[in-house]
Amino acid sequence: MTPRKIELFVPAITPFAADLSVDTGRFVAHSKGLLASGAHGLAPFGTTSEANSLTVAERMSALEALVEAGIPAEQLIPGTGCCAAADSIALSAHATKLGCRGVLMLPPFFYKGVSDTGVFDAYAQVIEAVGPGLRVYLYHIPQMSGVPITLPLIERLIAAYPGVIAGLKDSSGSWENTASVIAAFPQIDTYSASETMIPENVAAGGAGCISASSNVNPAGIRALIDGLNGPDHGALHEQVSAVRRLFEGVPLIPGIKAAVAAQKNDPEFARVRPPFVATGSEHAADIADAVRIAGAQDRE
């Protein structure tokens, strides 16, 4: 069996202009910089990207801007999961037509307590509507969505749509859950949402990580991936863990954006859309420490 490639995909932040429109120029520049810093690819329009504060048209336009700027579509796994099936279908078909590696798809997330059968039907509706070429990465983030992606559901989707279910991002924070997915479904790529879990993920047969804090520390996380079996493994793991711990103590998305703004010396990157608010002075020290530990990034 060919060894699985271990990868870092970054859920790139979405910069906003003063009128809160998407700042496409900064979005493209940041995305290119992440790849130049060692990220294998991007997973825009997930939680960290404030995707659920973006319209379908905004997501499509921003994705097109990345491809038009020369970022290979095969390095992109955009988020496409919405509450309305027609929106998920439109976004997924658009990404597939552009040639994206796949789509990262939340289940419909407003109604809680729904059955696995209902969630299966929701995914099936999108898969069958989009048709050939679609590759789906399931997005398990039950603490936000309220709709878990269970092992029986994954099994049923893989059986019904072989070759379409390409992977899963586990943002539950539970290593036990991630490990159970990897063990049960070695044929798909399973990503952890924290870089601190990369050693365990890789040892178990996983595919790497899709991490919010990789917006700030892509070079450090890439160094950890490349050095997993090397003599500096311990120090590399401590570096990424130290950055991650600091972000766990601040409002995550505003904190990530504030850190990127500090790294780039460009306060425009710190702007968020409501209901988020920018970080205040009480979090300044932690954000400054995260930027210091992450160090200089080889940004384009």
Side-chain angles (χ1 to χ4, degrees):
M1 179 181 293
T2 303
R4 189 184 303 277
K5 185 178 181 182
I6 309 306
E7 296 175 303
L8 166 65
F9 275 79
V10 184
I13 59 167
T14 306
F16 298 116
D19 64 358
L20 295 184
S21 61
V22 175
D23 188 332
T24 303
R26 284 185 170 86
F27 179 60
V28 169
H30 178 60
S31 297
K32 284 188 170 183
L34 293 168
L35 295 172
S37 296
H40 297 91
L42 306 173
F45 319 126
T47 304
T48 307
S49 312
E50 300 171 79
N52 292 302
S53 297
L54 301 174
T55 67
V56 169
E58 285 175 322
R59 293 201 218 183
M60 287 183 175
S61 178
L63 183 62
E64 289 170 6
L66 295 181
V67 175
E68 290 168 2
I71 293 176
E74 60 266 25
Q75 290 182 273
L76 300 172
I77 306 176
T80 63
C82 302
C83 285
D87 291 342
S88 297
I89 290 166
L91 288 167
S92 299
H94 177 255
T96 301
K97 184 176 180 180
L98 286 176
C100 292
R101 171 167 166 167
V103 300
L104 181 63
M105 196 181 301
L106 284 166
F109 49 82
F110 180 80
Y111 298 108
K112 308 304 188 286
V114 296
S115 66
D116 273 5
T117 295
V119 180
F120 174 89
D121 289 346
Y123 276 114
Q125 187 176 5
V126 177
I127 291 168
E128 292 178 10
V130 175
L134 177 65
R135 301 178 80 244
V136 174
Y137 293 79
L138 303 169
Y139 189 3
H140 177 64
I141 183 167
Q143 69 274 29
M144 297 291 284
S145 70
V147 181
I149 298 175
T150 65
L151 295 184
L153 173 60
I154 299 168
E155 182 177 25
R156 186 176 173 190
L157 284 167
I158 290 174
Y161 301 105
V164 176
I165 306 303
L168 178 140
K169 178 188 178 186
D170 186 1
S171 292
S172 68
S174 166
W175 167 245
E176 290 74 18
N177 186 74
T178 309
S180 69
V181 174
I182 294 171
F185 310 108
Q187 70 270 47
I188 68 172
D189 293 331
T190 299
Y191 296 90
S192 297
S194 172
E195 57 271 35
T196 63
M197 295 182 183
I198 288 175
E200 293 89 345
N201 178 290
V202 173
C209 82
I210 303 174
S211 163
S213 42
S214 58
N215 278 278
V216 178
N217 193 28
I221 299 170
R222 174 61 185 268
L224 173 63
I225 289 173
D226 291 346
L228 279 175
N229 297 315
D232 298 326
H233 161 78
L236 294 169
H237 189 257
E238 176 52 35
Q239 190 264 7
V240 303
S241 298
V243 174
R244 181 77 185 193
R245 282 194 299 269
L246 287 161
F247 283 116
E248 290 173 352
V250 305
L252 182 60
I253 294 169
I256 293 291
K257 295 187 95 170
V260 172
Q263 283 181 317
K264 295 178 177 294
N265 193 28
D266 183 353
E268 297 293 308
F269 276 93
R271 190 175 289 114
V272 291
R273 276 187 177 175
F276 291 120
V277 295
T279 56
S281 58
E282 68 273 23
H283 300 301
D286 283 344
I287 291 167
D289 281 347
V291 170
R292 175 183 56 79
I293 296 168
Q297 306 288 314
D298 297 326
R299 298 184 180 276
E300 186 173 272

